[in-house]
Amino acid sequence: MTDTCARCGRTRSSVTDPAQLLAWVRERDRGVDQWLCHVCARAHVRDIEGKLPSDYW
C-alpha cells in the first residue's frame, strides 16, 4: 500500500494494526481521491460528516 494521508503525510504501510487500517477514510475532493489516516479522520470527523470543504479545516 502506498496511500498517504493528505493532512499529515502518514502512510498506510506504516500502520500495523488492522483496526487502524480500517479507520482510514477515502474522500473525493475536486475529482481527486485523497486518504485521511485514522488520527486525522478522528480529529476531523465533524467536518467530514458536515461535508465541509477541507479548506475550512
Side-chain angles (χ1 to χ4, degrees):
M1 291 182 228
T2 59
D3 299 321
T4 304
C5 178
R7 303 290 296 171
C8 71
R10 180 179 281 122
T11 60
R12 286 187 73 169
S13 60
S14 67
V15 179
T16 57
D17 183 11
Q20 290 179 351
L21 284 174
L22 288 173
W24 278 61
V25 175
R26 183 183 60 90
E27 66 176 356
R28 182 171 282 270
D29 188 24
R30 297 180 186 103
V32 177
D33 286 337
Q34 295 182 344
W35 286 93
L36 290 177
C37 70
H38 60 287
V39 175
C40 292
R42 184 177 176 126
H44 297 288
V45 70
R46 288 185 179 171
D47 302 328
I48 294 167
E49 290 184 359
K51 303 223 184 263
L52 292 175
S54 58
D55 299 340
Y56 290 105
W57 314 354

